[in-house]
Amino acid sequence: MAVRPTTSYAATAALITVLLTAGCALPVASGQDPLPSAAATSVPAPSSSTSTTTATPTTATPTPSTPKATPKPKSTPAEPAALLSKGDSGPKVRELQHRLRQLEWFAGSITGRYRTSTVKAVKGFQDKRELDTTGAVDKATWASLVSRTRKPTDDELHNRLTPGRALMRQGTTGNRVRELQARLKQIGWFSGSVTGTYGSVTVAGVRGFQGKRAIPVTGEVDQRTWDRLTAMTREPTSDALHNRTPKPSASGLDSRCLTGRALCVSKSSNTLTWVIDGQPQLRTDVRFGSAELPTREGAFAVGWKSRDHVSTIYHTPMPYAMFFSGGQAVHYSPDFAARGYNGASHGCVNVRSMSAIQTLFAQVRVGDKVIVYR
């Protein structure tokens, strides 16, 4: 006679069938016995005949149990593999050092030895670009660095400063010299009037500019000197070329700037104009954020001011900061003053004239408009 399964066993069997059909495994709670298998719970049918022979007892050989597999420990994500790190040496380190020097993170001779000064330079670059600040060069650091620099020449890799053919030198005159002087004036390497005559003051300015940027110090302008200077500066205005003090004009300003008190910031002309009731009071050069960290455009208001502010994200000084959109502010930038347009902010509006930012900070009030437009 067949044994009839109980109601609870039938329900359990049905549940197992549903779970297996869904592709799921039924977990076993700790401290409980596993559910019986179909083989373990089936009841054998009675034999159709009864044997009268006495069975000889035998010793059953126990089936060895399969040991449970030891779970593998969870692997932690590996650190990015370093391409270059402290202690390395060779031509790749030379290239690293020169590329860092192009961005003014590394100073001194190219040695090809990855020592403390190189570690410090790499950390500075990584921190500026929001990379892992390890001091070692991984793929992400190298890719970011290469995208912002050019491949060094063999002379540059071995500290051979060979000047190129002079485009301008002492005694040269004309409009090209005027442009040279006006561009040097933008970054503080020339003072006084723009004359168009390449005299001793211009020679001194060119020599200072060259020495600061590891260009052969000749006092003459070769192509390398000119390229570096134009990358750091903007094309001088006619007023700048002829020593005329520019008078701020409302011409070309966004219409939103012409009422009330407004910091009017034009991305197309790289200028900031301080306007009160439609009358421009001051105009100064500015630069903006990069494509990765752009300066926001639109109508804002000055939310708060901080005279000696230091960025809590990048740990860099932001003197005379006037915040208008979250962490974005109008502020003085020593990097802009030193490198000109050969660089970018993290989204702020950088001012390179100390006198201009001091005047603005003194006059601008919390609540004044900030209009950023193209």
Side-chain angles (χ1 to χ4, degrees):
M1 171 179 167
V3 179
R4 183 178 179 181
T6 62
T7 302
S8 61
Y9 173 72
T12 303
L15 176 60
I16 293 174
T17 302
V18 171
L19 289 175
L20 290 175
T21 305
C24 299
L26 185 66
V28 178
S30 175
Q32 294 181 349
D33 293 332
L35 290 173
S37 66
T41 56
S42 63
V43 178
S47 173
S48 58
S49 62
T50 304
S51 174
T52 57
T53 308
T54 303
T56 305
T58 58
T59 303
T61 304
T63 303
S65 60
T66 304
K68 292 184 178 180
T70 304
K72 295 181 180 179
K74 293 183 179 180
S75 58
T76 55
E79 290 279 330
L83 305 178
L84 294 168
S85 58
K86 190 174 184 180
D88 288 344
S89 61
K92 203 68 178 177
V93 178
R94 285 183 179 274
E95 183 179 350
L96 167 66
Q97 291 172 330
H98 194 277
R99 287 185 183 274
L100 288 167
R101 190 161 77 179
Q102 290 176 41
L103 301 176
E104 299 187 5
W105 284 111
F106 183 83
S109 297
I110 305 300
T111 65
R113 295 186 294 275
Y114 205 126
R115 293 184 175 173
T116 303
S117 58
T118 307
V119 172
K120 183 178 179 181
V122 170
K123 282 186 173 181
F125 174 79
Q126 288 171 327
D127 185 57
K128 178 81 171 178
R129 302 299 165 193
E130 298 182 300
L131 300 165
D132 291 338
T133 311
T134 62
V137 178
D138 57 16
K139 287 183 179 180
T141 301
W142 184 251
S144 181
L145 181 60
V146 168
S147 71
R148 291 172 168 82
T149 54
R150 60 174 176 78
K151 188 173 179 61
T153 65
D154 189 67
D155 282 349
E156 289 170 331
L157 290 174
H158 295 87
N159 306 293
R160 294 190 295 265
L161 299 180
T162 307
R165 180 179 65 85
L167 305 177
M168 289 176 274
R169 55 162 58 97
Q170 189 165 3
T172 304
T173 60
N175 289 334
R176 192 77 181 276
V177 178
R178 283 186 179 276
E179 183 178 352
L180 166 67
Q181 292 169 331
R183 286 184 182 274
L184 287 169
K185 199 169 186 176
Q186 288 179 30
I187 53 176
W189 285 109
F190 184 83
S191 59
S193 298
V194 173
T195 63
T197 299
Y198 203 128
S200 59
V201 175
T202 308
V203 170
V206 171
R207 288 178 64 87
F209 175 79
Q210 290 170 328
K212 178 75 173 179
R213 285 152 188 89
I215 297 171
V217 180
T218 62
E220 300 177 347
V221 177
D222 60 4
Q223 192 63 52
R224 186 189 315 177
T225 303
W226 184 250
D227 288 346
R228 188 68 185 276
L229 179 60
T230 55
M232 293 179 60
T233 54
R234 62 177 178 82
E235 186 175 351
T237 63
S238 178
D239 285 340
L241 292 171
H242 297 90
N243 306 296
R244 295 191 295 261
T245 302
K247 294 181 179 180
S249 167
S251 175
L253 296 181
D254 188 285
S255 60
R256 294 170 292 180
C257 301
L258 303 181
T259 58
R261 299 163 60 87
L263 287 168
C264 200
V265 183
S266 169
K267 286 187 172 182
S268 60
S269 64
N270 291 96
T271 58
L272 179 155
T273 307
W274 170 229
V275 187
I276 301 177
D277 296 329
Q279 298 299 314
Q281 309 294 310
L282 178 151
R283 181 167 289 159
T284 188
D285 292 341
V286 291
R287 74 175 184 184
F288 307 100
S290 63
E292 297 90 352
L293 296 167
T295 302
R296 301 182 191 103
E297 296 174 21
F300 310 94
V302 175
W304 60 292
K305 298 163 62 176
S306 178
R307 165 67 179 75
D308 298 303
H309 195 78
V310 176
S311 170
T312 56
I313 300 174
Y314 304 106
H315 311 294
T316 52
M318 298 169 58
Y320 301 100
M322 293 169 280
F323 289 88
F324 63 87
S325 178
Q328 294 192 353
V330 176
H331 68 87
Y332 175 72
S333 168
D335 182 73
F336 183 28
R339 299 175 58 206
Y341 294 99
N342 189 27
S345 74
H346 285 101
C348 288
V349 177
N350 287 169
V351 177
R352 66 176 167 193
S353 168
M354 179 61 81
S355 61
I357 195 66
Q358 287 174 333
T359 299
L360 289 171
F361 193 83
Q363 295 186 15
V364 173
R365 305 169 187 163
V366 171
D368 286 347
K369 291 189 293 187
V370 180
I371 308 297
V372 185
Y373 65 100
R374 290 195 178 276

